[in-house]
């Protein structure tokens, strides 16, 4: 009863996995990817020596499992970084408000000085009237206000063109791993068939060797061995088909992964360059004004 329940549970789980795979990866025939219900582990792992395909599929299964974890970590880290960058925009806005507050205070102070009459200090500073600290502060403040806009554009585009493709490959790596694990279950099923065949063959030989062997017993044992051999042939063919399908999927997955991730990386790098250029251009316009006013101050002092 417990064995039947275990088989049913495994079958339901495998069927669900197969349905998920169908929506994520285009297979080479759904029949080739049907889940195997493993009744028991093979009695011996030496009934069928490991092939190069077995070794390859085992390595690829481990690789896909590792990719699933790495893509998940990279996606989480990139989202955390991008969210922090958006928060950085709020800090720029706060700095801009602070600088604008100082700018307004300086402008009010300049206005009061201009309204004073018969002030010797006013006569001394009239030649530097083109220099306004309040105006410069306001210009820097407005540049600070531009930073959140530049950052937001970079963050939004980075999520769409970099983070989301990474997220997609968490699922795709998991799906590829499930395909390879399904192949592993097919191999185990074939090993079980080989184990049963070996037992049926030993049973037939034992019956033939017995002095009390009768024709009916020998015929029954021979029929059982034939059925076991048929099962071996069937599971071997199924293993061959699912191996071909799994390796085809693995190759397609590898090609698509390289293309998609290279595109995502190129987009991410280009966005960083674009942001840096936009930021530099904004601050250069402020620097030109500062350097110009700095020369005026130097001339006034001379």
């Amino acid at each position: 009863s417990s064995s039947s329940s275990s088989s049913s549970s495994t079958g339901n789980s495998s069927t669900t996995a197969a349905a998920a795979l169908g929506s994520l990866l285009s297979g080479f025939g759904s029949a080739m990817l049907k889940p195997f219900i493993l009744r028991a582990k093979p009695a011996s792992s030496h009934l069928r020596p490991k092939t190069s395909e077995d070794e390859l599929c085992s390595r690829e299964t481990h690789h896909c499992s590792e990719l699933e974890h790495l893509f998940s970590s990279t996606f989480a880290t990139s989202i955390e970084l991008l969210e922090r960058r958006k928060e950085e925009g709020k800090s720029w806005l706060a700095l801009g408000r602070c600088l604008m507050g100082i700018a307004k205070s300086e402008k009010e102070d300049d206005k009061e000085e201009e309204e004073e009459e018969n002030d010797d200090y006013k006569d001394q500073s009239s030649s530097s009237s083109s220099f306004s600290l309040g105006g410069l502060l306001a210009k820097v403040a407005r540049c600070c206000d531009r930073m959140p806009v530049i950052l937001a554009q970079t963050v939004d585009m980075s999520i769409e063109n970099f983070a989301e493709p990474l997220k997609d490959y968490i699922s795709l790596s998991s799906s590829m791993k499930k395909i390879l694990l399904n192949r592993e279950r097919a191999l185990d099923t074939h090993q079980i068939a080989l184990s049963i065949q070996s037992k049926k063959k030993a049973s037939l030989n034992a019956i033939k060797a017995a002095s009390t062997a009768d024709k009916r017993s020998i015929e029954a044992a021979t029929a059982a061995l034939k059925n076991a051999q048929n099962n071996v042939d069937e599971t071997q063919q199924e293993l061959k088909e699912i191996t071909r399908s799994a390796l085809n999927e693995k190759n397609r997955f590898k090609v698509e992964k390289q293309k998609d991730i290279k595109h995502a990386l190129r987009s991410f790098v280009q966005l960083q360059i674009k942001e840096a250029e936009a930021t530099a251009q904004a601050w250069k316009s402020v620097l030109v004004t500062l350097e110009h006013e700095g020369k005026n101050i130097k001339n006034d002092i001379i």
Side-chain angles (χ1 to χ4, degrees):
S1 174
S2 61
S3 175
S4 175
S5 174
S6 175
S7 297
S8 175
S9 175
T10 305
N12 291 338
S13 176
S14 299
T15 302
T16 302
L21 294 182
S23 64
L24 291 167
L25 292 174
S26 59
F28 286 78
S30 58
M32 294 183 183
L33 299 179
K34 64 181 180 181
F36 286 84
I37 301 175
L38 191 62
R39 294 183 295 276
K41 280 288 183 181
S44 172
S45 59
H46 304 290
L47 293 172
R48 174 187 175 278
K50 277 193 174 183
T51 65
S52 59
E53 288 179 338
D54 294 340
E55 296 288 352
L56 175 60
C57 289
S58 179
R59 289 195 304 270
E60 290 299 330
T61 301
H62 174 75
H63 180 58
C64 287
S65 180
E66 186 177 46
L67 280 179
E68 181 183 4
H69 171 72
L70 291 172
F71 276 123
S72 179
S73 299
T74 307
F75 170 71
T77 302
S78 65
I79 289 297
E80 181 183 354
L81 171 64
L82 293 171
E83 287 178 348
R84 282 206 305 265
R85 298 220 67 196
K86 269 197 172 181
E87 289 298 316
E88 181 185 338
K90 296 179 182 179
S91 298
W92 279 111
L93 282 175
L95 177 60
R97 285 194 295 269
C98 292
L99 290 173
M100 189 60 75
I102 300 174
K104 289 179 179 179
S105 177
E106 287 295 322
K107 287 180 179 180
E108 288 295 328
D109 185 56
D110 290 344
K111 186 177 180 181
E112 290 176 1
E113 284 189 6
E114 288 175 1
E115 291 175 352
E116 292 179 0
E117 294 180 359
N118 301 321
D119 192 322
D120 294 337
Y121 179 74
K122 178 183 175 184
D123 293 336
Q124 295 173 6
S125 62
S126 59
S127 62
S128 63
S129 58
S130 62
F131 170 72
S132 168
L133 180 58
L136 291 175
L137 284 164
K139 192 173 182 66
V140 174
R142 284 190 291 271
C143 193
C144 289
D145 291 342
R146 291 180 61 186
M147 293 303 105
V149 178
I150 296 173
L151 283 170
Q153 290 174 343
T154 302
V155 168
D156 292 342
M157 294 296 291
S158 293
I159 290 175
E160 179 181 349
N161 295 287
F162 179 68
E164 286 300 326
L166 294 177
K167 184 179 179 181
D168 290 341
Y169 269 90
I170 299 172
S171 299
L172 291 172
S173 298
S174 176
S175 297
M176 190 65 245
K177 181 181 69 174
K178 289 174 183 176
I179 288 177
L180 292 164
L181 287 174
N182 196 45
R183 190 265 176 190
E184 186 177 309
R185 287 192 290 272
L187 173 59
D188 287 342
T189 299
H190 180 54
Q191 290 278 44
I192 290 171
L194 287 171
S195 178
I196 293 172
Q197 179 205 38
S198 178
K199 290 177 181 178
K200 296 301 181 184
K201 186 175 182 179
S203 177
L204 175 59
N205 290 336
I207 291 172
K208 286 180 177 180
S211 58
T212 57
D214 60 84
K215 184 178 179 181
R216 183 175 296 180
S217 297
I218 293 175
E219 288 177 350
T222 301
L225 177 58
K226 184 178 180 180
N227 290 334
Q229 180 60 52
N230 289 338
N231 192 31
V232 167
D233 295 339
E234 288 175 5
T235 57
Q236 185 176 32
Q237 183 60 29
E238 288 177 331
L239 176 61
K240 183 179 178 181
E241 290 175 354
I242 197 172
T243 298
R244 181 175 63 250
S245 177
L247 292 178
N248 284 339
E249 284 291 345
K250 184 267 298 181
N251 291 332
R252 189 184 69 81
F253 171 76
K254 183 177 181 180
V255 171
E256 291 297 319
K257 173 169 60 69
Q258 288 184 351
K259 182 184 70 175
D260 293 341
I261 299 305
K262 282 181 180 179
H263 178 74
L265 290 173
R266 183 169 58 252
S267 296
F268 184 70
V269 171
Q270 287 174 339
L271 285 167
Q272 307 315 303
I273 294 173
K274 186 176 180 180
E275 178 197 336
E277 290 175 344
T279 301
Q281 184 177 359
W283 288 113
K284 279 180 181 178
S285 64
V286 179
L287 183 60
V288 169
T289 303
L290 285 170
E291 288 179 341
H292 175 72
E293 294 299 344
K295 289 178 182 178
N296 287 343
I297 295 173
K298 183 176 180 181
N299 292 335
D300 291 342
I301 293 174
I302 293 173

